[in-house]
């Protein structure tokens, strides 16, 4: 199904199942431990051996000698895989560095060996016997230092300009010019990257934890030099990804190589201490934001520059993305520069671009409001735009940005905020409120599905879409149930298998809208088949209570499949509606914090997000996405930072003891409000994404609340207490 004109009224609009806060249909399996994650396919693979990954002990250089003899002779060892015996490996399209290094080493903890043994303990013990001699080379590990030599990135739009930014900024009566730093961050998902590989002749089956089955299938085939038809990827349950599992990683490739070498299925879970340096991370940024306004607060010039680093061949963090679209202003510029760093591979993490970009831009807006003596909410509303500011003839498909801010301010009690910082005390706590805009683009991706109707009248939906904890199973079941008029419990959703039609996958907050639209397309075809079989014109056919009917003709769906399943398959293919109008999602984020007047410790006291993001397919799973993202942003604001050893070039705090993410005790009551919205230009579902919108802006709202509480402006994340202590007001 081509989607190239805005959606009309369609069966989804009935909202009998869609739009209801349905519990997750996979919930019972998750909570009883019967959802099978990648490492847990024991039943099919009872004879699996265990692989243990060895990571490089240098960041850059060469292996000059590697002694694996003792490891090979160790008890239980079946194979030792290294670059020297693995055969030719080709770098995958989505990887920046080789997944098995050697002799050249491209980053710290790049995998250099897999030891396969009968037991995990034997594999781990033997891995400790491998002796490696390295020749270390100097590398670049410091973004601030490498910034001067940064170059223009090849892809994307590194430089944009409208009007004359320099002249307009220079002439602006009110100017803000500030530089912000966001650190490297790790996805820190609960389930480590894990895979089990099995070879049947030249056929490879990989149970793995991967957000994008089809990308993964292609890159496994490419890396190993085999046909993609010979690769099957299965990823039915995923314990979190956040972008860290968009791509094939070392666990999958090493499991495949280990299984080949051992002649047995092999399971590999990346050890937690390897994840930070072996896999991808969100790259650090330095961002300079310049905004010029008239005395009335209207923006006349807005400029945003960002510097980030990556390994050779990598890409920039697109931190300026939102600044092109969020606020009005006739004169504008953005610029990105990319430095070569020999740190591990940088790549997407939840809301790549906007998440760190908003961390800078939205503190800048708070600083600007203070310079202007304006309320930060009013400053943002004043500078709203209903068109793409770079292309004023191009509207937004929907933009309820101002409504988000107004509704949020009202619900949060923003009126009560003291515009003067450090005025409100609650015992030992300095209390403050902060807010920020939320913005993230809405992307759409081609997505296919197959729907089968069986003789019991049940529907089976098959698509290689993944559920990374987001609720895909549930909203896909809701979509099929709505389309065919069957109860939700009569829909069986099967996901995460490369044998199924290729979906959009889980990434870039496009998954919910795109994958359900693909299911919609397949269901439209199935409705046609059903109607024809029932002798009803499809235009007259009604689907409800497990029946198709028109006038006084009424047939049970199961009857129509009595002599064989009815099967329909289709894909949603998006035309250029996304070019004609800008599709984005919006939010107003509000936060209250307490800063300990004596220690500088920050505690978040209240959080509110008001979101406008198209039709909300399931308010319960959508809310869960947003509160999860808000929680992640509290980590970004207060604690998350991969600390770099700048001499040796690695992330030092590479486990969950040293890399601190929020726990329940850190998170107060959170409120999420979705404004009524349908976006007919986004898809037949009229939905958009929320999973990344929820993180964009929140960390800045926390930073702004800290400023309001304490009077200390921190432009360097995370805002740890050492950065506050010196500036705290004198405590009497
Ligand atoms: Mo997302 S960072 O595209 O999983």
């Amino acid at each position: 199904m081509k989607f190239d004109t805005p959606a009309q009224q369609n069966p989804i609009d009935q909202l009998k199942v869609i739009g209801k806060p349905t519990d997750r249909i996979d919930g019972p399996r998750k909570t009883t431990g019967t959802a099978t994650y990648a490492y847990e396919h024991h039943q099919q693979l009872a004879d699996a051996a265990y692989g243990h990954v060895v990571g490089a002990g240098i960041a850059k250089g060469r292996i000059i000698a590697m002694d694996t003899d003792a490891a090979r002779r160790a008890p239980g060892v079946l194979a030792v895989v290294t670059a020297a015996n693995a055969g030719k490996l080709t770098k995958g399209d989505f990887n920046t560095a080789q997944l098995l290094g050697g002799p050249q080493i491209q980053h710290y903890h790049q995998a250099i060996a897999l030891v396969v043994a009968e037991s995990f303990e034997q594999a781990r013990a033997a891995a400790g016997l491998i002796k490696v001699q390295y020749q270390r080379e100097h590398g670049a590990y410091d973004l601030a230092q490498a910034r001067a030599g940064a170059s223009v990135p090849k892809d994307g739009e590194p430089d944009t300009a409208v009007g004359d930014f320099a002249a307009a900024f220079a002439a602006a009566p009110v100017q803000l010019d500030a530089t912000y730093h966001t650190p490297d961050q790790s996805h820190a998902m609960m389930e480590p990257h894990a895979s089990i590989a099995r070879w049947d002749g030249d056929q490879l089956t990989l149970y793995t934890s991967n957000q994008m089955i089809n990308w993964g299938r292609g890159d496994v085939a490419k890396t190993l030099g085999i046909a993609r038809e010979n690769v099957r990827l299965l990823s039915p349950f995923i314990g979190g990804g956040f972008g860290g599992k968009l791509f094939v990683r070392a666990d999958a490739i090493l499991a495949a190589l280990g299984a080949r070498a051992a002649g047995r299925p092999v399971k590999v879970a990346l050890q937690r201490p390897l994840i930070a340096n072996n896999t991808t991370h969100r790259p650090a940024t330095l961002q300079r934001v310049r905004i010029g306004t008239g005395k009335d607060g209207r923006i006349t010039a807005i400029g945003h520059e960002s510097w980030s680093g990556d390994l050779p061949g990598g890409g920039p963090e697109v931190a300026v993305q939102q600044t092109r679209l969020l606020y009005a202003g006739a004169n504008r510029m953005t610029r990105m520069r990319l430095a070569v760093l020999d740190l591990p591979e940088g790549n997407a993490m939840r809301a790549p671009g906007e998440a760190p970009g908003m961390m800078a831009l939205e503190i800048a807006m708070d600083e600007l409001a203070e310079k202007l003596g304006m309320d930060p909410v009013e400053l943002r509303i004043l500078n709203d735009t209903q068109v793409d500011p770079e292309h004023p003839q191009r509207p937004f498909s929907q933009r309820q940005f101002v409504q988000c801010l107004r509704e949020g301010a009202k619900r949060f009690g923003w009126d009560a905020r003291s515009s003067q910082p450090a005025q409100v005390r609650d015992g030992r706590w300095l209390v403050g409120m902060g807010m920020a805009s939320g913005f993230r683009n809405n992307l759409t991706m081609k997505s296919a599905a197959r729907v089968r109707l069986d003789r019991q009248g049940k529907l089976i939906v098959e698509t290689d879409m993944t559920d990374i904890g987001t609720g895909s199973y549930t909203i896909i079941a809701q979509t099929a149930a709505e389309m065919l008029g069957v109860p939700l419990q009569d829909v069986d959703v099967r996901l995460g298998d490369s044998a199924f039609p290729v979906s959009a996958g889980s990434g870039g907050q496009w998954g919910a809208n795109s994958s359900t639209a693909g299911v919609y397309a397949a269901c439209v075809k199935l409705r046609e088949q059903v109607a024809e079989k029932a002798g009803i014109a499809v235009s007259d056919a009604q689907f409800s209570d497990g029946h198709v009917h028109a006038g006084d003709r009424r047939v049970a769906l199961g009857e129509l499949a009595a002599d064989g399943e009815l099967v329909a398959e289709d894909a949603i293919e998006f035309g250029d509606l996304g070019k004609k109008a800008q599709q984005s999602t919006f939010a107003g984020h509000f936060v209250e914090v307490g800063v300990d007047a004596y220690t500088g410790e920050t505690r978040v006291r209240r959080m509110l997000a008001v979101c406008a993001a198209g039709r909300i397919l399931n308010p319960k799973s959508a809310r869960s996405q947003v509160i999860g993202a808000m929680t992640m942003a509290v980590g970004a604001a207060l604690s998350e930072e991969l600390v770099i050893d700048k001499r040796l070039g690695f992330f030092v705090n590479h486990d969950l003891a040293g890399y601190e993410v929020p726990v329940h005790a850190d998170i107060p009551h959170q409120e999420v409000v979705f404004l009524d919205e349908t976006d007919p230009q986004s898809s037949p579902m009229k939905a958009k994404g929320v999973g990344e919108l929820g993180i964009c802006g929140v960390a800045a709202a926390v930073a702004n609340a800290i400023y309001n509480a304490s009077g200390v402006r921190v432009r360097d994340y995370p805002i740890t207490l050492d950065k506050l202590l010196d500036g705290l007001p004198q405590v009497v």
Side-chain angles (χ1 to χ4, degrees):
M1 176 184 286
K2 276 254 185 277
F3 183 73
D4 47 16
T5 54
Q8 305 293 312
Q9 184 85 11
N10 69 43
I12 297 297
D13 296 318
Q14 300 173 96
L15 301 181
K16 288 186 195 160
V17 195
I18 287 289
K20 296 277 187 286
T22 308
D23 285 350
R24 276 158 59 157
I25 59 176
D26 51 331
R29 293 184 70 183
K30 294 265 175 82
T31 49
T32 56
T34 51
T36 312
Y37 289 85
Y39 203 68
E40 300 175 334
H41 291 268
H42 310 127
Q43 266 162 3
Q44 305 93 314
L45 298 152
D47 58 339
Y50 293 79
H52 194 85
V53 180
V54 179
I58 62 167
K60 190 178 184 190
R62 292 178 69 78
I63 294 173
I64 49 176
M66 193 164 177
D67 181 355
T68 59
D69 288 351
R72 282 175 205 283
R73 287 196 306 268
V77 170
L78 301 167
V80 178
V81 177
T82 67
N85 64 18
K88 181 174 157 33
L89 298 175
T90 306
K91 189 178 70 60
D93 291 338
F94 292 93
N95 298 133
T96 306
Q98 299 279 356
L99 295 177
L100 179 60
Q104 204 68 39
I105 299 301
Q106 294 165 289
H107 63 86
Y108 188 80
H109 274 175
Q110 186 174 27
I112 55 169
L114 181 80
V115 178
V116 181
E118 293 286 352
S119 76
F120 172 77
E121 290 77 9
Q122 288 171 328
R124 182 175 57 184
L129 301 175
I130 293 179
K131 297 261 186 303
V132 190
Q133 269 183 281
Y134 299 101
Q135 186 166 23
R136 193 193 299 275
E137 287 166 27
H138 285 295
Y141 310 119
D142 185 340
L143 176 61
Q145 262 180 29
R147 170 182 175 168
S151 59
V152 182
K154 277 201 298 286
D155 300 325
E157 288 175 273
D159 296 282
T160 67
V162 174
D164 185 344
F165 168 78
F169 183 72
V174 180
Q175 299 173 342
L176 184 278
D177 180 354
T179 296
Y180 305 87
H181 173 248
T182 65
D184 297 283
Q185 294 177 337
S186 187
H187 306 85
M189 71 295 282
M190 287 282 277
E191 182 205 23
H193 301 70
S195 300
I196 309 182
R198 184 185 72 212
W199 291 91
D200 302 287
D202 56 6
Q203 302 280 319
L204 172 64
T205 304
L206 262 178
Y207 297 86
T208 189
S209 187
N210 191 293
Q211 298 173 223
M212 300 293 292
I213 298 299
N214 193 49
W215 294 2
R217 187 187 201 188
D219 262 1
V220 168
K222 181 170 182 183
T223 306
L224 297 175
I226 60 179
R228 62 182 288 128
E229 295 69 41
N230 290 350
V231 178
R232 183 162 175 211
L233 245 62
L234 292 123
S235 202
F237 292 103
I238 297 163
F242 310 119
K245 294 175 182 166
L246 286 169
F247 319 113
V248 171
R249 301 301 311 170
D251 57 297
I253 297 304
L254 290 175
L257 294 170
R260 189 148 71 188
R264 293 250 302 261
V266 167
K267 56 197 301 184
V268 177
L270 272 187
Q271 302 96 282
R272 179 67 63 181
L274 283 186
I275 291 178
N277 287 282
N278 177 277
T279 73
T280 60
H281 66 279
R282 190 202 296 282
T285 64
L286 286 162
Q287 301 178 51
R288 183 184 188 195
V289 180
R290 282 176 290 171
I291 309 174
T293 71
K295 289 212 167 64
D296 61 355
R298 267 182 217 283
I299 295 173
T300 53
I302 182 163
H304 193 159
E305 295 161 87
S306 176
W307 291 263
S308 60
D310 205 355
L311 287 168
E317 179 67 32
V318 189
V320 302
Q321 198 154 261
Q322 68 291 321
T323 306
R324 300 177 57 188
L325 290 159
L326 185 49
Y327 299 117
N331 303 284
R332 23 201 334 125
M333 65 83 79
T334 66
R335 183 183 291 152
M336 289 183 288
R337 292 294 179 265
L338 177 62
V340 171
L341 290 180
D342 299 294
L343 290 170
E345 178 169 338
N347 214 316
M349 182 166 137
R350 200 173 200 166
E354 284 98 331
M358 294 293 277
M359 287 167 77
L361 178 65
E362 290 299 296
I363 296 184
M365 288 297 282
D366 202 63
E367 296 198 61
L368 183 63
E370 188 177 38
K371 274 185 185 254
L372 285 156
M374 273 183 85
D375 181 90
V377 174
E378 294 307 320
L379 173 65
R380 288 166 171 89
I381 290 172
L382 178 71
N383 287 292
D384 182 41
T385 172
Q386 290 294 315
V387 296
D388 171 352
E390 291 178 3
H391 307 98
Q393 72 288 358
R394 183 170 174 259
F396 283 85
S397 62
Q398 297 282 344
R399 182 170 163 125
Q400 294 201 72
F401 173 54
V402 169
Q403 292 87 333
C404 289
L405 296 178
R406 289 228 189 277
E407 183 67 19
K410 193 173 80 194
R411 286 178 182 254
F412 201 69
W414 183 253
D415 282 0
R417 170 182 176 267
S418 160
S419 57
Q420 281 287 107
Q423 299 300 306
V424 181
R425 282 292 286 270
D426 175 8
R428 64 187 290 140
W429 299 99
L430 303 163
V431 179
M433 290 189 215
M435 59 77 56
S437 306
F439 176 93
R440 167 72 173 154
N441 278 331
N442 181 65
L443 305 171
T444 50
M445 296 273 271
K446 181 179 174 182
S447 197
R450 182 161 55 227
V451 188
R452 295 158 37 192
L453 171 65
D454 75 9
R455 65 176 66 191
Q456 274 87 46
K458 300 203 179 213
L459 293 175
I460 299 155
V461 185
E462 295 170 326
T463 164
D464 83 356
M465 181 60 188
T466 48
D467 188 325
I468 62 176
T470 39
S472 309
Y473 278 104
T474 310
I475 57 173
I476 285 173
Q478 287 176 275
T479 303
E482 190 81 78
M483 289 298 289
L484 272 301
V486 303
L488 197 61
Q489 60 269 23
D490 284 352
V491 185
D492 177 6
V493 179
R494 298 177 188 173
L495 301 182
D497 184 339
S498 62
F500 298 152
V502 174
S503 73
S506 297
Q509 83 167 8
W510 64 62
N513 178 47
S514 300
S515 72
T516 53
V519 173
Y520 169 93
C523 288
V524 167
K525 277 206 170 161
L526 185 61
R527 285 166 60 107
E528 290 165 7
Q529 282 188 40
V530 166
E532 191 184 341
K533 200 117 204 224
I536 293 173
V538 69
S539 52
D540 300 336
Q542 301 286 316
F543 293 77
S544 61
D545 305 319
H547 288 72
V548 57
H549 51 98
D552 48 15
R553 180 153 172 75
R554 181 179 162 87
V555 189
L557 295 183
E559 267 175 48
L560 299 168
D563 353 308
E565 285 187 340
L566 302 188
V567 182
E569 183 173 333
D570 201 4
I572 191 91
E573 289 182 75
F574 294 91
D576 64 355
L577 285 177
K579 289 206 177 72
K580 287 183 184 155
Q582 175 60 36
Q583 295 181 15
S584 301
T585 61
F586 299 91
H589 290 297
F590 293 80
V591 173
E592 182 180 288
V593 302
V595 175
D596 189 303
Y598 301 90
T599 68
E601 176 197 5
T602 298
R603 307 293 299 185
V604 178
R605 292 159 65 108
R606 288 194 294 143
M607 304 183 83
L608 165 68
V610 178
C611 305
R615 170 174 282 152
I616 299 304
L617 301 174
N618 178 331
K620 193 170 198 173
S621 56
R623 175 180 180 276
S624 294
Q625 278 299 292
V626 175
I627 63 174
M630 290 157 77
T631 301
M632 207 163 178
V634 170
L638 298 179
S639 63
E640 290 187 44
E641 173 179 23
L642 285 168
V643 177
I644 302 165
D645 182 320
K646 289 175 184 166
R647 301 157 307 154
L648 301 177
F650 70 98
F651 298 130
V652 179
N653 49 341
H654 48 57
D655 58 32
L656 292 175
Y659 186 86
E660 293 180 348
V661 299
V663 298
H664 275 98
D666 296 314
I667 301 301
H669 179 71
Q670 295 172 317
E671 200 183 337
V672 180
V673 176
F674 295 109
L675 297 186
D676 267 343
E677 184 171 300
T678 49
D679 192 337
Q681 303 194 49
S682 66
S683 84
M685 305 302 294
K686 304 174 187 171
K688 291 191 276 201
V690 298
E692 298 186 330
L693 175 65
I695 196 173
C696 295
V698 180
V702 174
N704 297 338
I706 290 173
Y707 176 73
N708 185 247
S710 68
V712 187
R713 181 67 77 183
V714 180
R715 301 183 183 86
D716 176 21
Y717 292 97
I719 306 174
T720 45
L721 46 83
D722 52 297
K723 296 173 188 169
L724 296 173
L725 270 179
D726 288 348
L728 290 181
Q730 208 59 39
V731 183
V732 195

